[in-house]
Amino acid sequence: MYFEIKKAIEALRRPGIRTNLFRMVRRGIHYYLPGSLPVPSPLTIYWSINSVCNLHCKMCDVGTFNEEGTFFKNLSIDRKLHEIDINVFRRVVDELAADKPFMAFNSTEPLLYKPLGEAVAYCTANGLEAAVTTNAYNLLKRAEELAEAGLQRLNVSIDGPAATHNRIRGRADSFEKATTGIAAFHDACVKRGRKPQIILACTITNLNYGSLIDLYEAVRDLPFDQISFQYMWFIDPLVAEEQNTRWGDRYPVSASCFSEHMDPSAINVTELARQIKELSRDPRLQFAPEFDEVQLRRYFHEPLTFVNESGRCLASWFFIQVLADGSVIVYSRCHNESLGNINKQSIKEIWNGGKMKEWRNFIRTEKRMPMCKRCDLVY
């Protein structure tokens, strides 16, 4: 039970979660109940609202065109443009409005989705809170629209100070575009009499681990509420092989976010731990999971092992991920076995459908799979 409580408290600080501990506990109870019983509606629905991106991030399958990677297969699907039909989105909102799920637009690049403002406004009109996770390259253009739509939370990916961020993102002006857009969105909301929640999200990799303090100095004058630091997610080729040897007939994966740019072993863990300790003095800065130096070394330098002996995936009792073609999966960084499709089924039918129950029973028994070794959801 300690693990569940710890995870619940940590989850409340995640950019894609907006709820309270009471609701988390109520959902968590169902993890221990018979799998035949229905689980209450998800607390969060993650939306891969489209399948395209305008940057070339070096830690991302999409940015590096790694078509074989699991992450690419989930987000870019078949290299064709897919996006959620706005009328289908409205239907899902109508179906779940009474249950008040948090609607998180987290990929592939939501600001390239033309009806985004309309989608957020429909959430607002129905009493649902929404978040947009973005690289913010086009934020200045859409700041007024999103403020008018009532967007409550903006999550912006920032990888370091300007030079570091721009190198990682593959665009020479991406830092300037993002920071200018953040200020514009904040001002547009204040002009309308409300203060939005703005979270800066940084993925720690071998390309930026030594620049975390410099990142903080570069953004400290921006109107942010939190900087959320997360460790690079990846599937090592040998981990993919182990996963597929054991579970390839049901939940196959491919090596992912593991390229010539990404070298976890190149991270100086002692230096990273020093920067984390210094930055942790500001309560607005959150590191998830909360690893000590020994755990950090295991995470980055021993990718074939789990960081902790205990730990299990509880995700499918709390949220789901909708992909741009309407398919529903566990999470964008998980296997891509479809649990249903919102273009053909209601979201509630999928949430408590046969495939989801089968998956919940499987992962409750197994607790975690080889592919989970670098997923923060099991720590």
Side-chain angles (χ1 to χ4, degrees):
M1 185 60 69
Y2 169 77
F3 174 79
E4 285 81 358
I5 295 173
K6 180 175 180 290
K7 284 296 294 181
I9 294 173
E10 287 183 353
L12 293 176
R13 301 197 296 261
R14 288 176 63 92
I17 299 289
R18 192 176 176 100
T19 185
N20 56 59
L21 190 58
F22 176 72
R23 292 186 75 198
M24 292 283 289
V25 171
R26 284 189 62 191
R27 293 300 189 282
I29 288 173
H30 287 266
Y31 178 82
Y32 296 97
L33 298 180
S36 58
L37 295 178
V39 176
S41 295
L43 294 178
T44 294
I45 299 180
Y46 287 104
W47 292 88
S48 294
I49 205 74
N50 59 12
S51 61
V52 293
C53 188
N54 51 352
L55 296 186
H56 304 287
C57 305
K58 291 180 171 58
M59 68 289 197
C60 175
D61 284 344
V62 178
T64 58
F65 299 103
N66 176 22
E67 296 183 66
E68 296 303 313
T70 292
F71 196 52
F72 185 99
K73 292 176 181 177
N74 283 337
L75 296 191
S76 285
I77 306 173
D78 53 12
R79 294 200 72 172
K80 297 177 182 177
L81 173 61
H82 296 272
E83 60 180 25
I84 299 295
D85 184 285
I86 189 62
N87 292 318
V88 174
F89 179 82
R90 286 172 175 266
R91 173 171 57 77
V92 173
V93 170
D94 292 343
E95 183 182 359
L96 294 179
D99 299 322
K100 297 290 186 287
F102 187 50
M103 307 297 266
F105 303 96
N106 69 333
S107 55
T108 295
E109 174 42 52
L111 295 187
L112 297 180
Y113 180 64
K114 290 183 179 179
L116 181 61
E118 183 180 349
V120 171
Y122 199 71
C123 291
T124 304
N126 283 275
L128 304 186
E129 293 186 284
V132 169
T133 298
T134 173
N135 60 43
Y137 195 80
N138 290 340
L139 182 56
L140 182 60
K141 297 178 181 178
R142 307 200 69 173
E144 289 285 342
E145 174 191 0
L146 293 176
E148 183 64 27
L151 181 66
Q152 289 92 357
R153 178 184 287 180
L154 176 71
N155 305 318
V156 177
S157 298
I158 299 290
D159 300 310
T164 301
H165 177 86
N166 293 340
R167 183 172 65 254
I168 292 172
R169 294 278 157 174
R171 296 287 288 263
D173 57 348
S174 57
F175 184 87
E176 178 184 14
K177 290 275 192 179
T179 53
T180 303
I182 290 168
F185 173 72
H186 174 268
D187 293 346
C189 291
V190 170
K191 183 173 65 178
R192 290 166 172 80
R194 64 183 185 85
K195 184 183 181 302
Q197 184 178 28
I198 297 176
I199 297 177
L200 308 183
C202 174
T203 299
I204 300 173
T205 73
N206 54 287
L207 301 180
N208 68 352
Y209 77 91
S211 303
L212 305 186
I213 294 174
D214 293 337
L215 180 159
Y216 178 59
E217 294 296 332
V219 302
R220 66 186 310 164
D221 293 331
L222 289 175
F224 69 86
D225 297 276
Q226 177 184 325
I227 302 181
S228 176
F229 291 96
Q230 298 169 332
Y231 307 113
M232 61 181 288
W233 169 85
F234 60 96
I235 298 178
D236 182 282
L238 292 178
V239 171
E241 181 179 341
E242 181 185 358
Q243 170 74 19
N244 294 332
T245 298
R246 294 183 61 186
W247 304 114
D249 59 329
R250 300 174 68 179
Y251 305 114
V253 299
S254 306
S256 195
C257 299
F258 198 89
S259 67
E260 68 271 19
H261 304 291
M262 292 292 99
D263 182 6
S265 66
I267 292 178
N268 182 326
V269 173
T270 300
E271 171 59 19
L272 173 58
R274 183 191 72 80
Q275 295 207 28
I276 290 174
K277 182 177 180 180
E278 183 167 338
L279 291 171
S280 296
R281 296 171 183 169
D282 187 332
R284 296 177 301 167
L285 277 56
Q286 305 290 339
F287 291 83
E290 295 180 346
F291 287 155
D292 59 27
E293 186 171 341
V294 172
Q295 292 169 313
L296 287 172
R297 181 166 287 104
R298 190 173 299 146
Y299 187 95
F300 290 113
H301 294 177
E302 303 173 27
L304 304 185
T305 64
F306 281 100
V307 175
N308 297 330
E309 291 184 6
S310 61
R312 49 196 171 278
C313 181
L314 309 176
S316 298
W317 283 262
F318 296 93
F319 64 76
I320 51 174
Q321 177 92 44
V322 181
L323 300 182
D325 65 353
S327 296
V328 173
I329 63 171
V330 176
Y331 193 43
S332 60
R333 286 175 166 80
C334 197
H335 62 79
N336 37 38
E337 177 69 19
S338 177
L339 304 168
N341 192 298
I342 62 169
N343 293 321
K344 304 173 183 178
Q345 303 164 270
S346 74
I347 198 78
K348 288 188 176 181
E349 180 183 353
I350 297 170
W351 181 246
N352 279 304
K355 286 190 174 183
M356 180 61 98
K357 287 181 179 178
E358 179 184 354
W359 162 250
R360 287 194 186 112
N361 288 332
F362 169 84
I363 200 62
R364 176 163 39 201
T365 300
E366 293 299 323
K367 296 184 173 58
R368 56 190 185 178
M369 295 183 287
M371 67 163 295
C372 305
K373 289 178 178 177
R374 290 303 171 265
C375 180
D376 65 318
L377 297 179
V378 304
Y379 296 119

